[in-house]
Amino acid sequence: MKFHTVIIGGGLAGLVSGISLQKAGKSTAIISNGQNALHFFSGSFETLEEVPQRMVDLLEEAGIRTHYQPGVRLMPLGTFRPAALSLEDISLFPTPRFGKKVLIVTFRGYHDFFSSFLAEGLEKQGMTCRIHPLDLPQLEWLEQSPSEMRSVQIARTMDRIWEVVVQEVRILLKDEDTVVLPQVFGLQDTSVPGRIRQGIPAQVVFAGTLPPSVPGIRTQMLLKRRYELLGGTYLMGDEATTAHVHDGVVHSIVTKNLDSHFLEADHFILASGGFFSKGLKSNPFRIHEPVFGLDVEQAPDRNDWYHPEFMSDQPYLSYGVKTDAGLHPLQAGAPMKNLYAVGSILGGTRPEMGSAAGLAIRSALTAVDQILNQPNA
Ligand SMILES: Cc1cc2nc3c(=O)[nH]c(=O)nc-3n(C[C@H](O)[C@H](O)[C@H](O)COP(=O)(O)OP(=O)(O)OC[C@H]3O[C@@H](n4cnc5c(N)ncnc54)[C@H](O)[C@@H]3O)c2cc1C
């Protein structure tokens, strides 16, 4: 099977690359091994202080509405974190004190939403909080098994019964100016968070839950759908195992499922993520990149990989594949000619591109530009 570009990894960086190339009329395939960081996404695209307009367009065309307002956002445990470009349902505030009286609504039997921590955090900011767990008969079937009472299962039900929640909250509201609800709305129907805001006569803030993240899964689904609508081939559940490389040029990729059929292309993008997604792996002696055996930036002594104090900055998180100025990764010191490394597999090796989602987006767009600017691209 021959494509213009083959992409390894179907997270944010892989999907941004794939969508951009498909939009430019190029045939691509994404090999995606499974869960990625978007499944844990807070809803805020970090380190995007200056947002590339093409990224906002790309998200909008996929049906992902965002807003941009530098400020802070509420975290699942009641703390606040700086944020700017965020999904539309994530509230951004100029200061952490976003209300005076807050009603925090949860669902009875739902343990993945930390209403008490939220109340404690908001009270530290001078807000008064009241917590009310709703008894919803529509969720009783989930309560029978604690493993089912999770954000995604609840979100599936909420797409159908959100109006009941609005009715219940309207009855509950006394003199509160703000209602905090768990972020379990709009998994399939993206209009639901906005309609809830219209239906409740108070400011509505959606607060994060334990993973998986409902807005993150929604973002992943919409990007994947957009990619496939543009004609991209998304090989779900497959894994790139090795590559055929000669003189620094990648010819094809071998995957677990395609057996003896190799994926050939003119260009290749490595968007396989960091340690979290197994784009980087380690053993007691070294940190390595498993598909191509690329050079990885790392401290030579294993004892320097981590800081013994857990909450300190951990050096291993900054490790990533080494690249030249054009994002071509190095193999035994020499750049691979038609391979580009994008997203969190770069770790902190390209600080000018930021980190987190900012790194994924900036590096993906840079690699795509490099590919498209080549003669006979
Ligand atoms: C838990 C967590 C939460 C985060 N939350 C945020 C947030 O809220 N905001 C933010 O800005 N940033 C966040 N980040 C940072 C995040 O890394 C980036 O935002 C971005 O989503 C990373 O995208 P990526 O595509 O580079 O990598 P990933 O999302 O890690 O995707 C890599 C994909 O490649 C696949 N893969 C790996 N090896 C292979 C192979 N051999 N063959 C096929 N597929 C393969 C993996 O299975 C995975 O699906 C978070 C990171 C983590 C780990």
Side-chain angles (χ1 to χ4, degrees):
M1 274 178 277
K2 172 105 200 225
F3 296 88
H4 176 270
T5 302
V6 165
I7 300 158
I8 301 171
L12 183 61
L15 281 164
V16 169
S17 308
I19 290 172
S20 307
L21 286 164
Q22 287 294 141
K23 274 177 77 175
K26 307 300 175 194
S27 67
T28 67
I30 293 181
I31 312 164
S32 177
N33 194 7
Q35 222 177 35
N36 62 70
L38 279 177
H39 294 100
F40 299 79
F41 184 46
S42 63
S44 292
F45 298 83
E46 290 175 21
T47 74
L48 273 181
E49 292 77 20
E50 280 172 39
V51 186
Q53 186 55 43
R54 28 197 301 228
M55 187 58 203
V56 177
D57 294 345
L58 185 148
L59 291 170
E60 256 175 34
E61 287 160 9
I64 301 164
R65 285 191 291 271
T66 56
H67 63 143
Y68 178 80
Q69 184 194 318
V72 293
R73 56 158 302 167
L74 177 62
M75 299 299 286
L77 297 183
T79 55
F80 289 84
R81 191 177 167 105
L85 182 72
S86 300
L87 301 179
E88 197 183 41
D89 44 327
I90 308 297
S91 303
L92 297 167
F93 310 102
T95 67
R97 189 170 177 180
F98 56 72
K100 284 186 180 150
K101 290 195 165 189
V102 182
L103 171 65
I104 301 175
V105 178
T106 181
F107 309 116
R108 198 169 297 284
Y110 180 38
H111 302 299
D112 289 355
F113 181 60
F114 302 113
S115 47
S116 318
F117 284 110
L118 279 169
E120 206 177 299
L122 299 188
E123 279 169 1
K124 273 191 196 144
Q125 301 296 334
M127 295 175 252
T128 310
C129 296
R130 175 165 70 99
I131 301 174
H132 189 96
L134 280 183
D135 268 314
L136 293 175
Q138 293 89 340
L139 294 182
E140 269 169 17
W141 67 280
L142 289 176
E143 274 186 75
Q144 286 161 15
S145 156
S147 62
E148 292 293 310
M149 197 67 171
R150 308 300 303 272
S151 55
V152 176
Q153 277 84 340
I154 292 178
R156 288 203 182 101
T157 307
M158 285 302 157
D159 268 352
R160 286 184 281 108
I161 66 153
W162 62 270
E163 281 162 303
V164 177
V165 176
V166 169
Q167 286 303 327
E168 295 284 341
V169 172
R170 287 177 73 102
I171 294 165
L172 279 173
L173 259 183
K174 290 182 187 158
D175 55 351
E176 287 90 358
D177 51 67
T178 303
V179 175
V180 173
L181 285 167
Q183 222 168 42
V184 290
F185 299 94
L187 181 65
Q188 303 278 352
D189 182 349
T190 54
S191 69
V192 168
R195 289 156 83 183
I196 291 176
R197 283 193 168 128
Q198 279 169 8
I200 294 177
Q203 168 178 237
V204 175
V205 176
F206 297 102
T209 65
L210 266 191
S213 148
V214 170
I217 291 181
R218 183 208 307 150
T219 304
Q220 156 79 26
M221 288 192 314
L222 289 171
L223 287 173
K224 176 175 171 281
R225 188 181 306 162
R226 172 73 177 147
Y227 173 69
E228 289 178 325
L229 280 174
L230 286 165
T233 303
Y234 195 93
L235 300 167
M236 179 108 102
D238 203 353
E239 181 185 338
T241 51
T242 183
H244 296 127
V245 182
H246 299 289
D247 290 336
V249 177
V250 185
H251 294 277
S252 58
I253 301 287
V254 182
T255 79
K256 252 187 186 160
N257 294 350
L258 292 175
D259 200 15
S260 54
H261 300 282
F262 308 134
L263 293 172
E264 293 173 46
D266 297 326
H267 310 273
F268 295 83
I269 295 179
L270 183 64
S272 50
F275 294 102
F276 175 79
S277 293
K278 301 196 174 83
L280 292 176
K281 289 185 175 176
S282 68
N283 61 35
F285 312 104
R286 67 186 184 105
I287 294 166
H288 63 107
E289 183 287 310
V291 182
F292 299 92
L294 301 170
D295 300 351
V296 178
E297 188 88 60
Q298 59 192 284
D301 185 343
R302 182 175 189 267
N303 292 319
D304 296 331
W305 293 355
Y306 59 92
H307 196 290
E309 279 168 34
F310 182 71
M311 296 305 279
S312 300
D313 280 349
Q314 293 295 339
Y316 70 86
L317 291 176
S318 68
Y319 299 160
V321 295
K322 294 181 186 172
T323 52
D324 70 4
L327 290 178
H328 299 285
L330 310 186
Q331 195 188 48
M336 307 278 282
K337 293 176 186 129
N338 61 343
L339 177 66
Y340 301 81
V342 302
S344 46
I345 192 160
L346 291 167
T349 60
R350 300 302 298 262
E352 79 281 10
M353 293 207 175
S355 57
L359 171 66
I361 291 166
R362 284 191 199 99
S363 57
L365 294 178
T366 305
V368 166
D369 287 347
Q370 304 244 36
I371 291 174
L372 295 178
N373 286 338
Q374 286 181 19
N376 307 322

